[in-house]
Coordinates of all heavy atoms in Angstrom, one line a residue:
N1 N -4.5 20.1 25.8 CA -5.7 20.6 26.3 C -5.6 21.4 27.6 O -6.7 21.7 28.2 CB -6.6 19.4 26.5 CG -6.1 18.5 27.6 OD1 -5.1 18.7 28.2 ND2 -6.8 17.3 27.8
G2 N -4.4 21.7 28.0 CA -4.2 22.5 29.2 C -4.2 21.9 30.5 O -4.5 22.6 31.5
D3 N -4.3 20.5 30.6 CA -4.5 19.9 31.8 C -3.1 19.6 32.5 O -3.0 19.1 33.6 CB -5.2 18.5 31.6 CG -4.4 17.5 30.8 OD1 -3.2 17.8 30.4 OD2 -4.9 16.4 30.7
G4 N -2.1 20.1 31.9 CA -0.7 20.0 32.5 C 0.0 18.7 32.3 O 1.1 18.4 32.7
I5 N -0.7 17.7 31.5 CA -0.2 16.5 31.2 C 0.2 16.4 29.6 O -0.9 16.6 28.9 CB -1.1 15.3 31.6 CG1 -1.2 15.4 33.2 CG2 -0.4 14.0 31.1 CD1 -2.3 14.4 33.6
N6 N 1.3 16.3 29.2 CA 1.7 16.2 27.8 C 1.2 17.4 27.0 O 0.8 17.2 25.8 CB 1.1 14.9 27.2 CG 1.8 13.7 27.7 OD1 2.9 13.7 28.1 ND2 1.0 12.6 27.9
D7 N 1.3 18.5 27.6 CA 0.8 19.7 26.9 C 1.9 20.4 26.0 O 1.6 21.2 25.0 CB 0.3 20.8 27.9 CG -1.0 20.4 28.5 OD1 -1.8 19.7 27.9 OD2 -1.3 21.0 29.6
V8 N 3.1 20.0 26.1 CA 4.3 20.4 25.3 C 5.1 19.2 24.8 O 5.4 18.3 25.7 CB 5.1 21.4 26.3 CG1 6.3 21.8 25.4 CG2 4.4 22.6 26.7
F9 N 5.4 19.3 23.5 CA 6.3 18.2 23.0 C 7.7 18.8 23.0 O 8.0 19.7 22.3 CB 5.8 17.8 21.6 CG 6.8 16.9 20.8 CD1 6.8 15.6 21.2 CD2 7.7 17.4 19.9 CE1 7.7 14.7 20.6 CE2 8.5 16.5 19.3 CZ 8.6 15.2 19.7
V10 N 8.5 18.1 23.9 CA 9.9 18.3 24.0 C 10.7 17.2 24.1 O 10.4 16.4 25.1 CB 10.2 19.5 25.0 CG1 9.8 19.1 26.4 CG2 11.5 19.9 25.1
P11 N 11.7 16.9 23.3 CA 12.6 15.7 23.6 C 13.5 16.0 24.9 O 13.9 17.1 25.1 CB 13.5 15.7 22.3 CG 12.8 16.6 21.3 CD 12.0 17.6 22.1
L12 N 13.5 14.9 25.7 CA 14.3 15.1 26.9 C 15.4 14.2 27.0 O 15.3 13.1 26.4 CB 13.3 14.7 28.1 CG 12.1 15.6 28.3 CD1 11.3 15.0 29.4 CD2 12.5 17.0 28.6
S13 N 16.5 14.7 27.4 CA 17.7 14.0 27.6 C 18.6 14.7 28.5 O 18.9 15.9 28.5 CB 18.4 13.8 26.2 OG 19.7 13.1 26.5
L14 N 19.4 13.9 29.3 CA 20.3 14.6 30.3 C 21.6 14.8 29.7 O 22.4 15.5 30.2 CB 20.5 13.7 31.5 CG 19.2 13.3 32.3 CD1 19.6 12.3 33.4 CD2 18.6 14.6 32.9
I15 N 21.8 14.3 28.5 CA 23.2 14.5 27.9 C 23.2 15.4 26.8 O 24.3 15.7 26.2 CB 23.8 13.1 27.3 CG1 22.8 12.6 26.3 CG2 23.9 12.1 28.5 CD1 23.5 11.4 25.5
I16 N 22.1 16.1 26.4 CA 22.0 17.1 25.4 C 22.7 18.4 25.8 O 22.3 19.0 26.9 CB 20.6 17.3 24.9 CG1 20.1 16.0 24.3 CG2 20.5 18.5 23.8 CD1 20.8 15.5 23.1
D17 N 23.5 18.9 24.9 CA 24.2 20.2 25.2 C 23.5 21.3 24.4 O 23.2 22.4 25.0 CB 25.6 20.1 24.9 CG 26.5 21.3 25.2 OD1 26.2 21.9 26.4 OD2 27.4 21.7 24.6
T18 N 23.3 21.1 23.1 CA 22.6 22.0 22.2 C 21.6 21.1 21.4 O 21.8 20.0 21.1 CB 23.6 22.8 21.3 OG1 24.2 21.9 20.5 CG2 24.6 23.5 22.1
Y19 N 20.5 22.0 20.9 CA 19.6 21.2 20.0 C 18.8 22.1 19.2 O 18.7 23.4 19.5 CB 18.8 20.2 20.7 CG 17.4 20.5 21.1 CD1 16.3 19.7 21.1 CD2 17.0 21.9 21.5 CE1 15.0 20.0 21.5 CE2 15.8 22.3 21.9 CZ 14.7 21.2 21.9 OH 13.4 21.5 22.3
E20 N 18.3 21.6 18.1 CA 17.3 22.4 17.4 C 16.1 21.4 17.1 O 16.3 20.3 16.8 CB 17.9 22.8 16.0 CG 19.1 23.8 16.1 CD 19.6 24.1 14.8 OE1 19.1 25.0 14.1 OE2 20.6 23.5 14.4
L21 N 14.9 21.9 17.3 CA 13.7 21.2 17.2 C 12.9 21.9 16.1 O 12.6 23.1 16.2 CB 12.9 21.1 18.4 CG 11.5 20.5 18.4 CD1 11.5 19.2 18.0 CD2 10.7 20.7 19.7
Y22 N 12.5 21.1 15.1 CA 11.7 21.6 14.0 C 10.4 20.8 14.0 O 10.5 19.5 14.1 CB 12.4 21.3 12.7 CG 13.8 22.0 12.4 CD1 14.9 21.5 12.9 CD2 13.8 23.3 11.8 CE1 16.1 22.2 12.7 CE2 14.9 24.0 11.7 CZ 16.2 23.4 12.0 OH 17.3 24.0 11.9
I23 N 9.3 21.4 13.8 CA 8.0 20.7 13.6 C 7.4 21.1 12.3 O 7.5 22.3 11.9 CB 7.0 21.1 14.7 CG1 7.6 20.9 16.2 CG2 5.6 20.4 14.5 CD1 7.6 19.4 16.6
F24 N 6.9 20.1 11.5 CA 6.4 20.3 10.2 C 4.9 19.8 10.1 O 4.6 18.8 10.8 CB 7.2 19.6 9.1 CG 8.6 19.9 9.1 CD1 9.5 19.1 10.0 CD2 9.2 21.0 8.4 CE1 11.0 19.5 10.0 CE2 10.5 21.3 8.5 CZ 11.5 20.6 9.3
D25 N 4.2 20.6 9.3 CA 2.8 20.2 9.1 C 2.7 19.0 8.0 O 3.7 18.6 7.5 CB 1.9 21.4 8.8 CG 2.1 22.0 7.5 OD1 2.8 21.3 6.6 OD2 1.7 23.1 7.2
G26 N 1.5 18.7 7.7 CA 1.3 17.5 6.8 C 1.7 17.8 5.4 O 1.9 16.9 4.6
W27 N 2.0 19.1 5.1 CA 2.3 19.5 3.8 C 3.9 19.8 3.7 O 4.4 20.2 2.7 CB 1.6 20.7 3.3 CG 0.1 20.4 3.1 CD1 -0.5 19.9 2.0 CD2 -0.9 20.6 4.1 NE1 -1.8 19.8 2.2 CE2 -2.0 20.2 3.5 CE3 -0.8 21.1 5.4 CZ2 -3.2 20.2 4.2 CZ3 -2.0 21.0 6.2 CH2 -3.2 20.6 5.5
G28 N 4.5 19.6 4.8 CA 6.0 19.8 4.9 C 6.4 21.2 5.2 O 7.6 21.4 5.2
S29 N 5.5 22.1 5.5 CA 5.9 23.4 6.0 C 6.3 23.5 7.4 O 5.6 22.9 8.2 CB 4.7 24.3 5.8 OG 4.3 24.4 4.4
Q30 N 7.4 24.1 7.7 CA 7.9 24.3 9.1 C 6.9 25.2 9.7 O 6.6 26.3 9.4 CB 9.2 24.9 9.1 CG 9.8 25.1 10.5 CD 11.2 25.8 10.5 OE1 12.1 25.3 9.6 NE2 11.4 26.7 11.3
I31 N 6.5 24.8 11.0 CA 5.5 25.4 11.7 C 6.0 25.9 13.1 O 5.4 26.7 13.8 CB 4.1 24.8 11.9 CG1 4.4 23.4 12.6 CG2 3.4 24.6 10.5 CD1 3.0 22.7 13.0
F32 N 7.2 25.3 13.5 CA 7.8 25.6 14.8 C 9.2 25.3 14.7 O 9.8 24.4 14.0 CB 7.1 24.7 15.9 CG 7.8 24.9 17.2 CD1 7.4 25.9 18.0 CD2 8.8 24.1 17.7 CE1 8.0 26.2 19.4 CE2 9.4 24.3 18.9 CZ 8.9 25.4 19.7
Y33 N 10.0 26.1 15.4 CA 11.5 26.0 15.6 C 11.9 26.4 16.9 O 11.4 27.4 17.4 CB 12.2 26.8 14.5 CG 13.7 26.8 14.8 CD1 14.4 25.9 14.5 CD2 14.3 27.9 15.4 CE1 15.8 25.9 14.7 CE2 15.6 28.0 15.8 CZ 16.4 27.0 15.3 OH 17.8 26.9 15.6
S34 N 12.8 25.7 17.6 CA 13.4 26.2 18.8 C 14.8 25.7 18.9 O 15.1 24.5 18.5 CB 12.6 25.6 20.0 OG 13.2 26.0 21.3
N35 N 15.7 26.4 19.5 CA 17.0 26.0 19.8 C 17.3 26.1 21.3 O 18.4 26.1 21.7 CB 18.1 26.7 18.9 CG 18.2 28.2 19.2 OD1 17.3 28.7 20.1 ND2 19.0 28.9 18.6
E36 N 16.2 26.1 22.0 CA 16.4 26.2 23.5 C 16.0 24.8 24.0 O 14.9 24.3 23.8 CB 15.4 27.2 24.1 CG 15.7 28.6 23.7 CD 17.0 29.2 24.4 OE1 17.4 28.7 25.4 OE2 17.7 30.0 23.6
V37 N 17.0 24.2 24.7 CA 16.7 22.7 25.1 C 15.5 22.6 26.0 O 14.8 21.6 25.9 CB 18.0 22.3 25.9 CG1 17.8 20.9 26.5 CG2 19.3 22.3 25.0
S38 N 15.0 23.6 26.8 CA 13.9 23.5 27.6 C 12.6 23.9 26.9 O 11.6 23.8 27.5 CB 14.2 24.3 28.9 OG 14.3 25.6 28.5
E39 N 12.7 24.4 25.7 CA 11.5 24.9 25.1 C 11.0 23.9 24.0 O 11.7 23.3 23.2 CB 11.7 26.1 24.3 CG 10.6 26.8 23.6 CD 11.0 28.1 22.9 OE1 12.1 28.3 22.6 OE2 10.0 28.8 22.5
G40 N 9.8 23.5 24.1 CA 9.1 22.5 23.1 C 7.9 23.1 22.4 O 7.6 24.3 22.7
W41 N 7.3 22.4 21.6 CA 6.0 22.8 20.9 C 4.8 22.6 21.6 O 4.6 21.5 22.2 CB 6.0 22.1 19.6 CG 4.9 22.5 18.7 CD1 4.5 23.8 18.4 CD2 3.9 21.7 17.9 NE1 3.4 23.8 17.5 CE2 3.0 22.5 17.3 CE3 3.8 20.3 18.0 CZ2 1.9 22.0 16.6 CZ3 2.7 19.9 17.3 CH2 1.9 20.6 16.5
N42 N 4.0 23.7 21.8 CA 2.8 23.6 22.6 C 1.5 23.3 21.8 O 0.4 23.5 22.3 CB 2.6 24.9 23.4 CG 2.4 26.1 22.7 OD1 2.5 26.0 21.3 ND2 2.3 27.3 23.2
G43 N 1.8 22.9 20.6 CA 0.5 22.6 19.7 C -0.1 23.9 19.1 O -1.2 23.8 18.6
M44 N 0.6 25.0 19.1 CA 0.1 26.2 18.5 C 0.7 26.6 17.2 O 2.0 26.3 17.1 CB 0.2 27.4 19.5 CG -0.3 27.2 20.8 SD -2.1 27.3 20.9 CE -2.4 29.0 20.9
I45 N 0.0 27.1 16.3 CA 0.6 27.6 15.1 C 0.1 29.1 15.0 O -1.0 29.4 14.8 CB 0.1 26.9 13.8 CG1 0.5 25.4 14.0 CG2 0.7 27.5 12.5 CD1 -0.1 24.5 12.9
N46 N 1.1 30.0 15.0 CA 0.8 31.5 14.8 C -0.2 31.9 15.9 O -1.3 32.5 15.6 CB 0.3 31.8 13.4 CG 1.4 31.6 12.5 OD1 2.6 31.8 12.7 ND2 1.0 31.3 11.2
D47 N -0.1 31.5 17.1 CA -0.9 31.8 18.3 C -2.4 31.3 18.1 O -3.3 31.8 18.9 CB -1.0 33.4 18.4 CG 0.4 34.0 18.8 OD1 1.1 33.4 19.5 OD2 0.6 35.1 18.3
S48 N -2.5 30.2 17.3 CA -3.8 29.5 17.3 C -3.6 28.0 17.5 O -2.6 27.6 17.1 CB -4.4 29.7 16.0 OG -4.8 31.1 15.6
K49 N -4.6 27.4 18.0 CA -4.5 25.9 18.2 C -4.3 25.2 16.9 O -5.1 25.5 16.0 CB -5.7 25.4 19.0 CG -5.7 25.7 20.4 CD -6.8 25.0 21.1 CE -6.9 25.3 22.6 NZ -7.9 24.7 23.3
A50 N -3.3 24.3 16.8 CA -3.2 23.6 15.6 C -4.3 22.5 15.4 O -4.9 22.1 16.5 CB -1.8 23.0 15.5
M51 N -4.5 22.1 14.2 CA -5.6 21.1 14.0 C -5.2 19.8 14.6 O -3.8 19.5 14.5 CB -6.0 20.9 12.6 CG -6.8 22.2 12.0 SD -7.0 22.0 10.2 CE -7.5 20.2 9.9
E52 N -6.0 18.9 15.1 CA -5.5 17.6 15.5 C -5.0 16.8 14.3 O -5.5 17.0 13.2 CB -6.5 16.9 16.3 CG -7.7 16.3 15.4 CD -8.8 15.6 16.2 OE1 -9.6 16.2 16.8 OE2 -8.8 14.4 16.1
G53 N -4.0 16.0 14.5 CA -3.4 15.3 13.4 C -2.0 14.9 13.7 O -1.5 15.0 14.9
V54 N -1.3 14.4 12.7 CA 0.1 13.9 12.8 C 1.0 15.0 12.3 O 0.8 15.6 11.2 CB 0.3 12.6 12.2 CG1 1.7 12.1 12.2 CG2 -0.7 11.5 12.7
Y55 N 2.1 15.3 12.9 CA 3.0 16.3 12.6 C 4.4 15.6 12.7 O 4.7 14.8 13.5 CB 2.9 17.5 13.5 CG 1.7 18.3 13.4 CD1 0.6 17.9 14.1 CD2 1.7 19.3 12.7 CE1 -0.6 18.6 14.1 CE2 0.4 20.1 12.6 CZ -0.7 19.6 13.2 OH -1.8 20.4 13.1
A56 N 5.3 16.0 11.7 CA 6.6 15.5 11.7 C 7.5 16.4 12.5 O 7.4 17.5 12.6 CB 7.1 15.4 10.3
Y57 N 8.5 15.8 13.1 CA 9.6 16.5 13.8 C 11.0 16.0 13.4 O 11.2 14.9 13.0 CB 9.4 16.5 15.3 CG 9.8 15.1 16.0 CD1 11.1 14.8 16.3 CD2 8.8 14.2 16.1 CE1 11.4 13.6 16.8 CE2 9.1 12.9 16.7 CZ 10.4 12.6 17.0 OH 10.7 11.4 17.6
T58 N 11.9 17.0 13.5 CA 13.3 16.7 13.3 C 14.0 17.3 14.5 O 13.8 18.5 14.8 CB 13.9 17.2 12.0 OG1 13.3 16.5 10.9 CG2 15.3 16.9 11.9
V59 N 14.9 16.5 15.2 CA 15.7 17.1 16.3 C 17.2 16.9 15.8 O 17.6 15.8 15.4 CB 15.5 16.3 17.6 CG1 16.5 16.9 18.6 CG2 14.1 16.5 18.0
L60 N 17.9 18.0 15.8 CA 19.4 18.1 15.6 C 20.0 18.4 16.9 O 19.7 19.5 17.4 CB 19.8 19.1 14.5 CG 19.1 18.8 13.2 CD1 19.4 20.0 12.2 CD2 19.3 17.6 12.6
A61 N 20.9 17.5 17.4 CA 21.4 17.9 18.8 C 23.0 17.5 18.8 O 23.4 16.8 18.0 CB 20.6 17.0 19.7
T62 N 23.6 18.1 19.8 CA 24.9 17.8 20.1 C 25.0 17.3 21.6 O 24.3 18.1 22.4 CB 25.8 18.9 19.9 OG1 25.8 19.4 18.6 CG2 27.3 18.6 20.2
D63 N 25.5 16.2 21.9 CA 25.6 15.8 23.2 C 26.8 16.4 24.0 O 27.6 17.1 23.4 CB 25.6 14.2 23.4 CG 26.8 13.6 22.8 OD1 27.9 14.2 22.7 OD2 26.8 12.3 22.6
K64 N 26.9 16.2 25.3 CA 28.0 16.7 26.1 C 29.4 16.3 25.5 O 30.4 16.9 25.9 CB 27.8 16.3 27.6 CG 26.5 16.7 28.2 CD 26.5 18.1 28.6 CE 25.1 18.4 29.4 NZ 24.9 19.8 29.5
N65 N 29.5 15.2 24.9 CA 30.7 14.7 24.3 C 31.0 15.3 23.0 O 32.1 14.9 22.4 CB 30.8 13.2 24.3 CG 30.7 12.6 25.7 OD1 31.3 13.1 26.6 ND2 30.0 11.5 25.8
G66 N 30.2 16.1 22.4 CA 30.4 16.7 21.1 C 29.9 15.9 19.9 O 30.0 16.2 18.8
N67 N 29.3 14.7 20.2 CA 28.6 13.9 19.2 C 27.4 14.5 18.6 O 26.5 15.0 19.4 CB 28.3 12.5 19.7 CG 29.5 11.8 20.3 OD1 30.6 11.7 19.6 ND2 29.4 11.2 21.5
Q68 N 27.2 14.5 17.3 CA 26.0 15.0 16.8 C 25.0 13.9 16.5 O 25.3 12.9 16.2 CB 26.4 15.7 15.3 CG 27.2 16.9 15.5 CD 27.5 17.5 14.2 OE1 27.0 17.2 13.2 NE2 28.2 18.7 14.2
L69 N 23.6 14.3 16.9 CA 22.6 13.3 16.8 C 21.5 13.9 15.9 O 21.2 15.1 16.0 CB 22.1 13.1 18.2 CG 23.1 12.7 19.4 CD1 22.5 13.0 20.7 CD2 23.7 11.4 19.2
T70 N 20.8 13.1 15.2 CA 19.6 13.4 14.5 C 18.6 12.5 14.7 O 18.8 11.2 14.7 CB 20.0 13.4 12.9 OG1 21.0 14.3 12.7 CG2 18.7 13.9 12.1
K71 N 17.4 13.0 15.0 CA 16.2 12.1 15.3 C 15.0 12.7 14.5 O 14.8 14.0 14.6 CB 16.0 12.1 16.8 CG 14.8 11.3 17.2 CD 14.9 9.9 17.1 CE 13.7 9.1 17.6 NZ 13.7 7.7 17.3
K72 N 14.3 11.8 13.8 CA 13.1 12.2 13.0 C 12.0 11.3 13.4 O 12.2 10.1 13.8 CB 13.3 12.1 11.6 CG 14.4 13.0 11.1 CD 14.6 13.0 9.6 CE 15.7 14.0 9.1 NZ 15.7 14.1 7.6
G73 N 10.8 11.8 13.5 CA 9.6 11.0 13.8 C 8.4 11.8 13.6 O 8.3 12.9 13.0
T74 N 7.4 11.4 14.4 CA 6.1 12.1 14.3 C 5.5 12.3 15.7 O 5.8 11.5 16.6 CB 4.9 11.3 13.5 OG1 4.8 10.0 14.0 CG2 5.4 11.2 12.0
V75 N 4.7 13.3 15.8 CA 4.0 13.5 17.1 C 2.5 13.7 16.8 O 2.2 14.4 15.7 CB 4.5 14.7 17.9 CG1 4.5 16.0 17.1 CG2 3.8 14.9 19.2
T76 N 1.6 13.1 17.4 CA 0.2 13.1 17.2 C -0.5 14.2 18.1 O -0.4 14.1 19.4 CB -0.5 11.8 17.3 OG1 0.2 10.9 16.4 CG2 -2.0 11.9 17.0
L77 N -1.1 15.1 17.5 CA -1.8 16.2 18.3 C -3.3 15.7 18.5 O -4.0 15.5 17.5 CB -1.7 17.5 17.7 CG -2.2 18.8 18.4 CD1 -1.4 18.9 19.6 CD2 -2.1 20.0 17.5
L78 N -3.8 15.6 19.7 CA -5.1 15.1 20.0 C -5.9 16.4 20.5 O -5.3 17.3 21.1 CB -5.1 13.9 21.0 CG -4.4 12.8 20.6 CD1 -4.3 11.8 21.8 CD2 -5.0 12.1 19.4
P79 N -7.3 16.3 20.5 CA -8.1 17.5 20.9 C -8.0 17.5 22.4 O -7.7 16.6 23.1 CB -9.5 17.1 20.5 CG -9.5 15.6 20.2 CD -8.0 15.3 20.0

């Protein structure tokens, strides 16, 4: 909503070296991708506000020790 609180969904970790963040809509279509550790999803799809609802995410990461990590879950977008 632009208030500066929780406006961007980005997994945070001090031990991540590289990562890929994927966001999917309710039909399984990829709507966001980033491989920049500091870049997250701002709730936009093609420069338009996404509808409120539940979106799936997948994070593929490598930590500072070279271990590969995979995390899947959901993020809820509120008005």
Side-chain angles (χ1 to χ4, degrees):
N1 64 2
D3 65 1
I5 301 171
N6 296 325
D7 288 336
V8 177
F9 173 72
V10 59
L12 297 176
S13 175
L14 299 176
I15 63 168
I16 296 299
D17 190 36
T18 64
Y19 99 142
E20 294 179 82
L21 171 63
Y22 299 86
I23 305 287
F24 302 93
D25 65 16
W27 296 273
S29 297
Q30 181 181 316
I31 59 169
F32 178 81
Y33 169 81
S34 175
N35 63 358
E36 296 292 326
V37 175
S38 62
E39 181 182 16
W41 183 49
N42 63 1
M44 304 290 279
I45 301 174
N46 298 325
D47 298 322
S48 297
K49 287 184 178 180
M51 292 176 40
E52 69 179 82
V54 178
Y55 294 83
Y57 71 85
T58 298
V59 176
L60 307 173
T62 304
D63 69 17
K64 302 277 186 195
N65 296 319
N67 299 312
Q68 294 186 359
L69 313 164
T70 300
K71 176 72 176 171
K72 296 182 179 189
T74 58
V75 58
T76 302
L77 188 62
L78 301 172

